[in-house]
Amino acid sequence: DVYEECRKEGAIIATGHEHSYSRTYLMDNFETQSIASTSNTLEIEKGKSFVFVSGIAGKSIRFQNDEMVGNEWWASIYTKNQSATYGALFCTFNKNGVKNKAHCYFKDINGNIPDEFDLISKL
């Protein structure tokens, strides 16, 4: 219910503590897991948003859980199954002076970038 309320208003849903990294595609319904777009440019607006989990900053890294297997709404998954190491999600807002644009990437301590995407706010 909380994810749906956030999506309806175009809010980005940031979570942690899972000891993994993952990101959904742009979604237009979380309850039915309906994907609005599989593009790596996520156009955020009322009724469309995404979720990211950034939780591998230092304590431990978990294996991919069964809920992730076969769920096509995950755009990126980085867990022990993918030989993940510690890292964080970085976003630069107002990219190149464009107020409604951001560029984001997850970077691990070895310099690998397993996920990279752009955000455009249509709000």
Side-chain angles (χ1 to χ4, degrees):
D1 290 341
V2 175
Y3 281 26
E4 274 299 289
E5 289 305 311
C6 290
R7 179 197 56 80
K8 288 175 186 175
E9 295 302 317
I12 296 170
I13 303 161
T15 64
H17 192 73
E18 176 44 46
H19 299 259
S20 66
Y21 172 81
S22 57
R23 173 181 60 87
T24 67
Y25 287 112
L26 186 68
M27 306 294 288
D28 58 16
N29 191 308
F30 287 110
E31 285 184 292
T32 64
Q33 300 173 350
S34 177
I35 299 168
S37 173
T38 59
S39 172
N40 273 338
T41 299
L42 288 73
E43 295 184 5
I44 306 300
E45 60 186 304
K46 286 190 176 195
K48 295 180 183 174
S49 190
F50 75 104
V51 176
F52 73 84
V53 178
S54 186
I56 53 175
K59 184 172 178 177
S60 64
I61 299 172
R62 293 187 183 162
F63 283 100
Q64 185 172 317
N65 66 37
D66 292 340
E67 293 176 10
M68 294 177 131
V69 176
N71 283 327
E72 296 180 13
W73 49 289
W74 290 109
S76 179
I77 298 172
Y78 193 54
T79 69
K80 202 172 230 183
N81 294 61
Q82 290 80 29
S83 301
T85 190
Y86 305 109
L89 181 66
F90 298 91
C91 293
T92 302
F93 291 87
N94 300 326
K95 184 74 174 172
N96 299 325
V98 180
K99 291 185 179 184
N100 68 330
K101 188 172 183 182
H103 179 74
C104 301
Y105 60 94
F106 183 91
K107 186 173 185 177
D108 71 24
I109 60 173
N110 294 326
N112 298 313
I113 299 176
D115 189 30
E116 189 168 13
F117 56 97
D118 290 308
L119 299 173
I120 296 174
S121 173
K122 297 180 112 184
L123 298 172

